[in-house]
Amino acid sequence: MSYVGPDFDPPQPRRPRRAPLTVALAALVPGALLGWLVYEAVGATGGGGSGDSAKPGGALTSATDTSRTPSASSSPADDGKKPGTARTGSAPAGTGPLAGKVVVIDPGHNSGNYRHTAEINRKVDIGNSRKECDTTGTSTNDGYSEARFTLDVSHRLRTLLEQEGATVKLTRDGDEPPWGPCVDERARIGNTSRADAAISIHADGSAVGNRGFHVILPGSVHAGAADTRPIVGPSRDLGERIAGGFVRVTGSAPSNYIGGGTGLDTRTDLGGLNLSTVPKVFIECGNMRDGKDAALLKSGAWRQKAAQGISEGIVSFLRG
């Protein structure tokens, strides 16, 4: 994800393409060693590819059955978007183990942001400072945008969580809204939904050679409209479980450039976390600017693994 502002090129035109180890990162003793041991056990290829990184930084609409259950082998172009469709609410809650639970998924950025620079550059209050409403996000070197990646993973994650019985809401879906929403609105959607857990999906835009994922946790902020003190503990628990599931299912290693090898990073400068009143974390799934990480992020099969790993962490958190 890009947290420094809309400084990336607009998305490039799409080009046709051819088509029982449990990670107890909750303990983190030490997290870096544990994550790396699992990484070595499952193989450094991460299920066939790799990718590049992102930086810190919708309205509820809908999709067809195909967009809600994207193929695990879909290409970057098959990102779960169906033009002209609208999702007005989450699917009916099931009778699975998460029945009665609400999860809000926040797909980072928006493919239309670069067309609305005035709107996304507008500063909003995040409690301890003011920051841009949103940013454009990053992309792979061949133009696969972070916004498309985050929406695809979010669709896959929604399907998995609904199968567990959860009620799932997205902060944006498809091309609605045409830009944003702003970071304060993304937090508000989770708050007004009284989410039991919320997650913002991103990918990083860091230097070549910087690889791996990291989960961003809210730090303690008590300023202005922000008071994260009640959610710091639960959010850490949520983040540790998601990190553990992500390592186990994807085989990706924790970030080699953020988090000291633990796959966890605490921040107090992100409005989506500062303004949240429900347990919430961000996940940077990989580095879009590194060729090896980018190959993973562009793989539909790997994105399905990413969604599965995140889902397992959320399910574990919500079941206690």
Side-chain angles (χ1 to χ4, degrees):
M1 88 174 90
S2 174
Y3 293 93
V4 295
D7 56 350
F8 292 100
D9 294 333
Q12 301 299 310
R14 300 180 185 177
R15 289 181 269 178
R17 300 180 185 279
R18 290 182 297 176
L21 177 60
T22 301
V23 180
L25 274 185
L28 289 177
V29 189
L33 178 58
L34 180 56
W36 183 251
L37 288 175
V38 175
Y39 173 61
E40 289 296 305
V42 296
T45 60
S50 65
D52 113 84
S53 90
K55 310 170 188 175
L60 214 50
T61 55
S62 111
T64 64
D65 289 343
T66 301
S67 71
R68 292 192 57 250
T69 54
S71 165
S73 60
S74 61
S75 69
D78 300 322
D79 56 7
K81 290 172 58 179
K82 288 291 179 180
T85 59
R87 182 181 179 85
T88 56
S90 60
T95 57
L98 298 188
K101 299 294 186 181
V102 177
V103 179
V104 169
I105 304 172
D106 176 31
H109 309 289
N110 188 316
S111 293
N113 278 358
Y114 78 96
R115 299 186 185 94
H116 298 272
T117 55
E119 291 89 343
I120 67 170
N121 283 333
R122 177 175 61 86
K123 297 292 181 68
V124 299
D125 187 357
I126 66 166
N128 57 2
S129 66
R130 295 182 65 82
K131 293 191 70 171
E132 290 79 8
C133 156
D134 200 9
T135 63
T136 59
T138 187
S139 68
T140 62
N141 291 333
D142 59 0
Y144 180 47
S145 72
E146 181 183 1
R148 289 176 58 203
F149 168 82
T150 64
L151 186 62
D152 180 70
V153 173
S154 295
H155 282 163
R156 295 170 187 269
L157 178 58
R158 175 175 65 189
T159 297
L160 293 169
L161 292 171
E162 287 179 345
Q163 289 171 351
E164 295 290 327
T167 296
V168 181
K169 300 181 180 182
L170 269 62
T171 61
R172 70 175 182 91
D173 202 346
D175 292 322
E176 297 295 334
W179 56 271
C182 294
V183 293
D184 55 343
E185 177 61 16
R186 291 173 187 263
R188 191 174 302 119
I189 291 170
N191 298 343
T192 58
S193 300
R194 298 185 179 180
D196 297 285
I199 183 165
S200 189
I201 308 295
H202 287 270
D204 211 355
S206 187
V208 174
N210 290 344
R211 296 196 58 194
F213 78 94
H214 64 278
V215 177
I216 303 174
L217 312 174
S220 182
V221 176
H222 185 213
D227 186 0
T228 62
R229 293 175 298 177
I231 68 162
V232 166
S235 296
R236 172 167 284 275
D237 184 21
L238 172 64
E240 289 173 348
R241 291 174 189 259
I242 288 173
F246 201 83
V247 169
R248 186 180 67 81
V249 178
T250 67
S252 293
S255 170
N256 63 5
Y257 62 102
I258 290 177
T262 66
L264 301 173
D265 183 37
T266 300
R267 295 179 61 167
T268 59
D269 63 327
L270 303 180
L273 295 180
N274 286 5
L275 300 175
S276 182
T277 59
V278 301
K280 184 176 182 179
V281 299
F282 283 36
I283 183 168
E284 299 279 3
C285 295
N287 178 11
M288 299 196 93
R289 294 293 185 170
D290 177 84
K292 292 180 179 179
D293 266 8
L296 289 176
L297 299 170
K298 292 188 294 181
S299 163
W302 188 89
R303 294 195 301 271
Q304 186 66 26
K305 290 181 180 180
Q308 183 66 47
I310 296 168
S311 174
E312 290 189 5
I314 293 173
V315 171
S316 172
F317 171 76
L318 294 178
R319 296 188 72 178

